[in-house]
């Protein structure tokens, strides 16, 4: 068992509390961490055994009667032995309602390295949550905005949208989240109120940035400034920052025992690929599949096909270094388009008696989208576009669809974001989906440009950048 204990008086006099427990013969391990730039303090207590957990619960109930904003969460953990570290946040952080100055990686203009700057992060306004980021992945969509989309209205911006962190403070009107909650910010909101959120057929939400600023890839409003200039918040999240502010309709509360440096990947790539196979293509047991592009998104699609019971999963990539990894997630066959002179759809048709049942495009290239469609079997083949691009039209012969194929696309793997992400975190904790295997590199936020170079050169699957301790 471990306890996450938000205690105001421990925050004020933690040493006295621990001394007191020693006298009673109970073993608490106490450490205090102060972040460099701010006065917020995290207190970690290691608690061993049921008796001590119960003891803390009793104190909690007493304190709760005085400070109703406090919360106590207990959860069992199978990953470590008797003593577990627990993160204890003060009921109210010293930084609440103040502007926080912190470090963030700023993209001042397209096609240039990011610059680590000190930025100002405003307190959360109505319905907003300020999050202390713990870890973030780097996704190709960050690179797309920086090097391909390059929308001039989309800069300066703080990139990053695949992160996880801890709630630092909440604005007025926020009731479902509180200081100390572990959360994943979401680029796709779920207000639970609009006609899209209410319709089980869609995971779109009318309230997010996508509704009116798809090109800029950021809402017009932002809570960030740097050197007197407004910085945009990429897809409403901006996880390449020590702190960020997100609307509560774009935040998923997750299991407090989840390791944030792993589950951050569920903020984008893994849900996107896995959901594209399971929710959108609706891959069937015994079917044949082809996945084009074996980055984290494509590998997660391979994992989704395997999870759904596909018997043949053809992994397609022009970088053969990706094939070993694809095996780990369940790929059975491997095709490098560079090894063939004929169209890849013909190669796949020969391998599968006329085409696969399901194909998934996870590259972001309109040419590959066409190949993926043409690789599907006529009659019932389904092809899903997952790769992101908004730069040019695609083309295909109408006969491809007349012959009975279905061509569709999906954002975030069809998951309704606030409902789906906590479920995927649970699936990871229950070992039903893999995450650790996607992570090829770990670095501090300061090395974000190295992480971007690795992805540009096809040398990584996912780099996780650590931002603050969990
Ligand atoms: P990545 O750069 O890690 O992987 C892309 C892979 O595609 C690489 O392995 C590359 O070698 C391969 N590739 C390139 N050209 C190819 C070709 N012609 N044929 C076959 N393979 C080819 O990227 P990622 O982070 O996995 O993201 C993949 C795509 O998914 C990107 O376009 C990204 O923007 C998009 N995306 C979409 C959503 C969504 O909601 N729809 C969400 C996240 C990411
Ligand atoms: Zn992404």
């Amino acid at each position: 068992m471990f306890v996450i204990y938000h205690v105001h008086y421990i925050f004020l006099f933690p040493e006295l509390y621990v001394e007191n427990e020693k006298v009673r013969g109970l073993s608490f391990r106490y450490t205090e961490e102060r972040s460099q730039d701010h006065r917020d303090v995290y207190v970690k207590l290691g608690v061993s055994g049921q008796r001590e957990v119960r003891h803390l619960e009793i104190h909690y109930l007493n304190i709760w009667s005085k400070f109703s904003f406090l919360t106590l969460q207990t959860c069992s953990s199978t990953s470590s032995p008797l003593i577990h570290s627990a993160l204890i946040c003060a009921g109210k952080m010293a930084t609440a309602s103040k502007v926080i100055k912190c470090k963030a990686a700023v993209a001042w203009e397209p096609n240039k390295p990011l610059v680590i700057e000190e930025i100002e992060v405003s307190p959360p306004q109505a319905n907003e949550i300020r999050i202390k980021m713990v870890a973030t992945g780097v996704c190709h969509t960050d690179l797309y905005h920086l090097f391909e989309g390059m929308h001039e209205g989309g800069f300066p911006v703080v990139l990053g949208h695949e992160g996880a962190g801890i709630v630092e403070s909440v604005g007025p009107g926020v009731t479902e989240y509180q200081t100390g909650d572990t959360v994943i910010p979401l680029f796709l909101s779920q207000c639970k109120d609009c006609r899209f959120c209410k319709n089980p057929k869609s995971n779109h939400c009318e309230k997010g940035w996508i509704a009116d600023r798809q090109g800029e890839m950021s809402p017009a409003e932002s809570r960030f400034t740097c050197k007197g200039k407004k910085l945009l918040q990429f897809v409403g999240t901006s996880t390449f920052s020590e702190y960020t502010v997100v609307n509560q309709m774009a935040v998923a509360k997750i299991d407090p025992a989840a390791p944030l440096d792993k589950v951050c990947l569920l903020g984008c790539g893994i849900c996107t690929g896995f959901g594209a196979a399971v929710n959108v293509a609706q891959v069937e047991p015994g079917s044949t599949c082809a996945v084009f592009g074996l980055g984290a998104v494509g590998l997660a699609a391979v994992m989704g096909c395997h999870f759904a019971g596909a018997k043949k999963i053809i992994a397609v990539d022009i970088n053969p270094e990706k094939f070993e990894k694809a095996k780990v997630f369940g790929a059975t066959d491997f095709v490098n388009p560079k090894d063939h002179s004929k169209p890849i759809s013909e190669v796949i048709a020969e391998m599968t008696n006329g085409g696969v049942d399901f194909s998934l495009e996870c590259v972001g290239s309109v040419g590959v989208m066409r190949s993926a469609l043409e690789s599907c079997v006529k009659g019932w083949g389904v092809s899903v576009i997952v790769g992101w691009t908004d730069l040019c039209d695609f083309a295909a012969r109408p006969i491809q669809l007349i012959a009975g194929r279905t061509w569709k696309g999906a954002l975030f793997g069809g998951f309704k974001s606030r409902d789906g992400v906590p479920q995927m975190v649970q699936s990871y904790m229950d070992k039903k989906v893999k995450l650790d295997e996607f992570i090829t590199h770990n670095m501090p936020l300061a090395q974000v440009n190295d992480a971007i170079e690795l992805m540009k050169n096809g040398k990584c699957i996912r780099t996780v950048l650590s931002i603050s301790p969990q």
Side-chain angles (χ1 to χ4, degrees):
M1 289 288 264
F2 86 81
V3 175
I4 294 186
Y5 202 35
H6 307 232
V7 185
H8 202 59
Y9 77 67
I10 288 189
F11 176 53
L12 296 175
F13 307 108
E15 305 87 344
L16 292 183
Y17 185 83
V18 172
E19 270 311 305
N20 195 18
E21 301 314 325
K22 267 193 201 144
V23 172
R24 292 159 184 254
L26 296 175
S27 60
F28 283 84
R29 202 157 48 88
Y30 155 72
T31 51
E32 184 183 303
E33 263 168 37
R34 275 171 200 276
S35 78
Q36 283 173 346
D37 302 326
H38 320 292
R39 281 163 300 148
D40 42 1
V41 177
Y42 293 93
V43 180
K44 285 185 178 173
L45 275 187
V47 184
S48 62
Q50 279 291 346
R51 194 171 140 229
E52 289 158 60
V53 170
R54 185 68 204 124
H55 179 118
L56 277 180
E57 280 172 350
I58 290 165
H59 274 296
Y60 161 74
L61 289 173
N62 288 338
I63 299 160
W64 193 82
S65 59
K66 295 183 195 123
F67 303 99
S68 59
F69 54 81
L70 299 172
T71 56
L72 176 84
Q73 290 152 310
T74 54
C75 37
S76 56
S77 166
T78 49
S79 59
S80 47
L82 273 178
I83 300 208
H84 298 277
S85 278
L87 177 70
I88 299 182
C89 301
K92 232 172 164 30
M93 294 283 186
T95 45
S97 359
K98 295 184 184 135
V99 170
I100 289 178
K101 288 189 177 187
C102 69
K103 295 272 188 306
V106 178
W108 287 106
E109 49 188 322
N111 219 354
K112 289 272 164 62
L114 309 189
V115 185
I116 302 287
E117 303 274 14
E118 185 176 88
I119 68 163
E120 296 86 37
V121 180
S122 311
Q125 300 187 6
N127 303 315
E128 292 178 346
I129 298 174
R130 190 159 59 183
I131 301 168
K132 185 177 174 102
M133 296 308 306
V134 169
T136 179
V138 179
C139 167
H140 198 109
T141 311
D142 301 308
L143 275 68
Y144 168 84
H145 186 70
L146 192 60
F147 302 118
E148 297 166 51
M150 302 200 288
H151 195 294
E152 60 179 32
F155 293 83
V157 64
V158 176
L159 295 170
H161 60 281
E162 201 175 72
I166 299 164
V167 174
E168 176 269 344
S169 60
V170 300
V174 176
T175 52
E176 283 180 43
Y177 304 83
Q178 42 204 327
T179 302
D181 283 347
T182 45
V183 291
I184 292 183
L186 304 163
F187 71 86
L188 178 62
S189 56
Q190 187 188 353
C191 72
K192 303 196 179 185
D193 197 36
C194 74
R195 68 193 174 109
F196 291 92
C197 282
K198 283 183 174 157
N199 190 329
K201 288 182 189 164
S202 169
N203 68 339
H204 282 255
C205 169
E206 246 171 358
K207 305 268 175 71
W209 60 273
I210 299 175
D212 51 2
R213 287 179 46 98
Q214 198 158 313
E216 290 88 346
M217 298 190 84
S218 301
E221 268 200 77
S222 152
R223 302 287 167 255
F224 292 171
T225 54
C226 180
K227 298 178 177 163
K229 292 205 180 76
K230 178 173 87 171
L231 301 177
L232 292 170
Q233 288 184 246
F234 185 60
V235 296
T237 56
S238 288
T239 58
F240 295 171
S241 173
E242 289 178 325
Y243 286 86
T244 190
V245 178
V246 180
N247 192 293
Q248 62 174 338
M249 67 187 178
V251 176
K253 182 162 27 171
I254 60 162
D255 184 343
L260 299 184
D261 58 350
K262 307 284 191 302
V263 298
C264 60
L265 299 186
L266 293 169
C268 180
I270 311 311
C271 288
T272 295
F274 184 83
V278 173
N279 303 329
V280 186
Q282 301 189 339
V283 169
E284 291 161 0
S287 59
T288 56
C289 301
V291 176
F292 291 72
L294 303 172
V297 175
L299 292 171
V302 169
M303 179 167 76
C305 294
H306 182 68
F307 179 89
K311 75 167 190 293
K312 192 179 188 72
I313 303 169
I314 305 171
V316 185
D317 202 299
I318 50 171
N319 178 354
E321 285 174 27
K322 306 278 176 130
F323 295 150
E324 268 314 301
K325 241 335 182 221
K327 261 187 215 164
V328 173
F329 294 101
T332 57
D333 298 75
F334 306 90
V335 174
N336 180 353
K338 288 186 174 164
D339 294 342
H340 300 273
S341 50
K342 57 184 157 193
I344 213 62
S345 54
E346 284 178 29
V347 176
I348 288 181
E350 282 165 16
M351 294 167 72
T352 55
N353 189 24
V356 291
D357 302 308
F358 301 97
S359 70
L360 297 115
E361 194 277 356
C362 305
V363 178
S365 143
V366 291
V368 180
M369 289 170 192
R370 179 176 189 154
S371 298
L373 174 72
E374 292 172 350
S375 300
C376 280
V377 67
K378 67 179 180 191
W380 58 78
V382 175
S383 187
V384 179
I385 295 172
V386 186
W388 185 281
T389 183
D390 192 24
L391 298 174
C392 45
D393 296 344
F394 56 27
R397 292 283 167 91
I399 190 71
Q400 295 287 341
L401 303 185
I402 293 168
R405 296 178 184 86
T406 303
W407 210 2
K408 56 208 285 201
L411 193 60
F412 201 50
F415 282 109
K416 283 192 186 279
S417 58
R418 275 160 78 196
D419 294 340
V421 168
Q423 288 163 9
M424 284 293 283
V425 168
Q426 213 45 59
S427 296
Y428 167 69
M429 302 295 275
D430 296 342
K431 302 199 175 354
K432 289 182 189 145
V433 300
K434 299 182 201 292
L435 287 182
D436 305 18
E437 291 78 355
F438 290 97
I439 301 168
T440 50
H441 299 76
N442 288 281
M443 295 177 186
L445 177 64
Q447 276 173 259
V448 62
N449 289 311
D450 297 340
I452 289 174
E453 279 305 305
L454 282 172
M455 176 164 270
K456 228 172 152 183
N457 298 319
K459 295 290 177 208
C460 67
I461 301 298
R462 274 294 188 263
T463 301
V464 171
L465 303 171
S466 59
I467 303 177
S468 355
Q470 180 165 357

